[in-house]
Amino acid sequence: MTKTGELGVDAEGIFSTIVNEILSLDQDQKRIITQKLAYALSDEDDAPEQLRHLITYFEIRAGNF
């Protein structure tokens, strides 16, 4: 099962939101957020919690919260 499925969110919708938001960032912000996203999608113990935080962050940025 995908991590987004475990969180109860629409994986395709959140992915589109994340990509659109990342594209709107400047280079330094893109680097930081992609590193955070990579960690959130890893197998680390706290990765699901980090993914929840990122999803919330992107939903707020996109005005979907």
Side-chain angles (χ1 to χ4, degrees), residues 3-4 7 9-23 25 28-44 46-59:
K3 289 180 187 253
T4 54
L7 297 175
V9 297
D10 171 32
E12 187 175 328
I14 196 65
F15 179 76
S16 293
T17 299
I18 289 171
V19 168
N20 288 333
E21 290 297 316
I22 288 174
L23 291 174
L25 300 172
D28 287 335
Q29 290 174 319
K30 283 180 187 178
R31 181 184 49 77
I32 291 167
I33 207 71
T34 54
Q35 288 173 343
K36 289 182 183 225
L37 182 59
Y39 183 86
L41 296 173
S42 73
D43 290 333
E44 297 295 328
D46 63 337
E49 183 65 23
Q50 295 302 317
L51 184 57
R52 282 195 246 340
H53 290 301
L54 281 173
I55 289 170
T56 300
Y57 168 79
F58 283 113
E59 287 177 332

